[in-house]
Amino acid sequence: MATMDAVSNAGGQIADFLDVGGGANAQRVRNCYELVVNNTNAKVVFINIFGGITRGDEVARGVVDAMRETTSRKIPLVIRLTGTNEEEGRRILAEAGMTPVETMDEGAREAVRIAAGAKG
């Protein structure tokens, strides 16, 4: 819920909200990404992970897989990744050319900025 508040506070509107759940593995993260991309009119996906049970490396693998393999519409992605195995997750994202934001508020502002410039 705090993620939704952060986006609203940054001047954005929420198209959808999805909680991957504790202990989500790479496949679940990929499936969740595809659900949002294929079933909403979202202009940007903001993934905000504060992982305890959910491992950062698993989230990163799922995100990278989704970005590489999803053949439906492509939309920008902003990711905040902190918590268990975040260093490994950040390494995986970096190898794929992605740089996660540091804070939830920074991510919300970036997502709103990108969405404001998106067409459609």
Side-chain angles (χ1 to χ4, degrees):
M1 293 296 142
T3 303
M4 294 169 53
D5 290 340
V7 170
S8 180
N9 290 341
Q13 294 181 321
I14 304 298
D16 196 2
F17 178 85
L18 190 145
D19 184 339
V20 298
N25 62 18
Q27 185 61 48
R28 181 182 289 174
V29 172
R30 179 176 181 233
N31 291 347
C32 289
Y33 173 87
E34 289 177 355
L35 277 171
V36 171
V37 169
N38 292 327
N39 296 293
T40 72
N41 290 322
K43 296 176 183 175
V44 61
V45 172
F46 174 31
I47 297 175
N48 181 33
I49 299 293
F50 181 81
I53 297 169
T54 302
R55 294 178 15 206
D57 57 323
E58 283 292 314
V59 171
R61 283 185 190 92
V63 167
V64 170
D65 288 349
M67 297 300 286
R68 286 185 181 151
E69 298 173 14
T70 300
T71 58
S72 61
R73 71 186 183 108
K74 302 287 185 189
I75 61 175
L77 173 79
V78 176
I79 183 167
R80 173 200 178 216
L81 183 63
T82 188
T84 304
N85 291 1
E86 83 178 80
E87 295 84 12
E88 177 67 7
R90 288 173 178 271
R91 184 192 62 74
I92 292 166
L93 293 170
E95 287 178 358
M98 295 180 232
T99 303
V101 296
E102 295 292 323
T103 69
M104 176 177 58
D105 288 335
E106 178 188 358
R109 285 189 303 270
E110 180 64 5
V112 169
R113 184 192 67 75
I114 292 169
K119 296 185 181 196

